Amino acid sequence: GEVKGMFDWYQEESGQEIEKEAVERLYYETRGQPGLTCWLGELMTEGFYDYQPDHDRPFTVKDFDFVFRMAVQALPNNNILNIISKAKQEPYKEIILDLFRTDEKKIFTFDDSHMNFLFMNGVIGRDRCEENLYVKFPCPFVQKRLFNYFARELFDETGKLREPFEDMSDTLTETSLNIRNLMRRFEIYLKKNRDWLLADAPRRKDMRIYEAVFHFILYRYITDFLGLRRARVWPEFPTGNGKVDILVKYAERIYALEVKSYTDESGYKEALSQAAAYGKHLGLAEISLVFFVEYIDDANREKYEKDYEDEESGVRVETVFAATGN
């Protein structure tokens, strides 16, 4: 309500209309956090070096998409710089990386000095679910900026992704993208390059690599494989917890990848329904559900890598497994 009121006042004073959907997107990305909301509002209405608003026409959701992309990718903000400076410090970094887990949530407790520090500095928030409090990111915008920062910090270089004259027609054509074959190529790439890619990867106390590391590698791989001139690739975080989605716009079509770690058959079935619901929310007829798993044999790949059509939503879920182990 406060965010809407702020833009109602602006429209009355300036005479410029702001599309309702643009205001709703702003609130979704910031959750009404005052500093970020006002900063993005200023970018929308006053512009910046790469964007000069036209006050003689309505500000559209397409305008917001560009402004927001620049806010994520290129524009400095003291609030965000402070959050990143805290999040990248040890021992706080391991809490942030652990928040990108998709198999379980982390209990919030104010008596944990590390959580206390991150919460008081706006790096994390808390989410009530039934009778418990869980750690979450304070808003999607903060989560995107942290994801982009760590993806770039850990994997600034992705190495050689394909041969100059390699036949790519099974994965990429001028008009389509085959996600299952793209993930097959990613699996081969990871196996071939894991020694140097993961040599300095952060690990949990049990010496297992953080799940977030594979999210970062996949995001950077898809981005570099497709190339910025041909496609747009961006992460989305609908819940603020571990759920990670990678969206790809290629040849005027949106491809959605919901990324999870495989736990068991029960979690697999639940993930199918959740992916279908998310596909419906995006207005897509098809969505890809990508499971990270340390190892999968041919028999289980044949059993579980099957397309699922959700009766309620009508969305088809393409299931793909990506082995991350040696």
Side-chain angles (χ1 to χ4, degrees), residues 177-193:
L177 175 64
N178 187 306
I179 298 297
R180 180 168 279 150
N181 288 341
L182 178 64
M183 293 307 302
R184 291 283 183 271
R185 289 177 179 273
F186 171 72
E187 203 174 46
I188 294 169
Y189 161 81
L190 184 59
K191 185 175 182 179
K192 183 179 179 181
N193 296 280

Side-chain angles (χ1 to χ4, degrees), residues 109-268:
T109 171
F110 204 70
D111 290 332
D112 183 311
S113 60
H114 297 163
M115 284 189 194
N116 187 322
F117 175 85
L118 292 172
F119 181 78
M120 296 302 292
N121 281 280
V123 186
I124 63 173
R126 60 189 185 189
D127 182 34
R128 181 181 174 184
C129 183
E130 296 178 353
E131 299 302 318
N132 247 324
L133 289 177
Y134 295 95
V135 182
K136 67 176 295 183
F137 291 96
C139 65
F141 178 65
V142 168
Q143 192 168 359
K144 285 182 174 75
R145 289 295 300 260
L146 288 172
F147 185 93
N148 285 352
Y149 172 80
F150 285 118
R152 179 67 61 179
E153 180 199 47
L154 296 174
F155 301 105
D156 185 50
E157 175 59 55
T158 51
K160 193 173 186 178
L161 303 183
R162 53 186 176 181
E163 298 299 326
F165 300 103
E166 184 177 353
D167 182 7
M168 304 296 297
S169 59
D170 68 334
T171 303
L172 198 63
T173 70
E174 291 297 319
T175 59
S176 66
L177 175 64
N178 187 306
I179 298 297
R180 180 168 279 150
N181 288 341
L182 178 64
M183 293 307 302
R184 291 283 183 271
R185 289 177 179 273
F186 171 72
E187 203 174 46
I188 294 169
Y189 161 81
L190 184 59
K191 185 175 182 179
K192 183 179 179 181
N193 296 280
R194 63 178 295 117
D195 286 347
W196 70 267
L197 267 178
L198 303 177
D200 299 317
R203 296 174 182 266
R204 297 175 356 195
K205 291 179 181 178
D206 61 4
M207 296 308 296
R208 294 167 69 89
I209 294 173
Y210 284 99
E211 181 186 336
V213 168
F214 297 108
H215 295 166
F216 300 147
I217 295 175
L218 178 59
Y219 170 64
R220 290 302 316 278
Y221 173 83
I222 294 176
T223 301
D224 292 353
F225 182 88
L226 295 177
L228 295 177
R229 288 179 298 175
R230 304 187 70 184
R232 180 187 167 208
V233 184
W234 70 98
E236 285 290 345
F237 310 97
T239 66
N241 292 303
K243 183 175 168 63
V244 178
D245 301 301
I246 297 177
L247 301 184
V248 180
K249 185 176 183 181
Y250 178 77
E252 300 305 314
R253 177 181 168 184
I254 298 293
Y255 296 83
L257 291 74
E258 182 167 329
V259 185
K260 298 181 73 70
S261 277
Y262 181 82
T263 52
D264 52 34
E265 189 161 354
S266 175
Y268 168 83

Side-chain angles (χ1 to χ4, degrees), residues 10 14-17 53-59:
Y10 169 79
S14 69
Q16 183 187 19
E17 180 186 349
D54 182 355
H55 295 105
D56 294 327
R57 65 169 180 81
F59 181 92

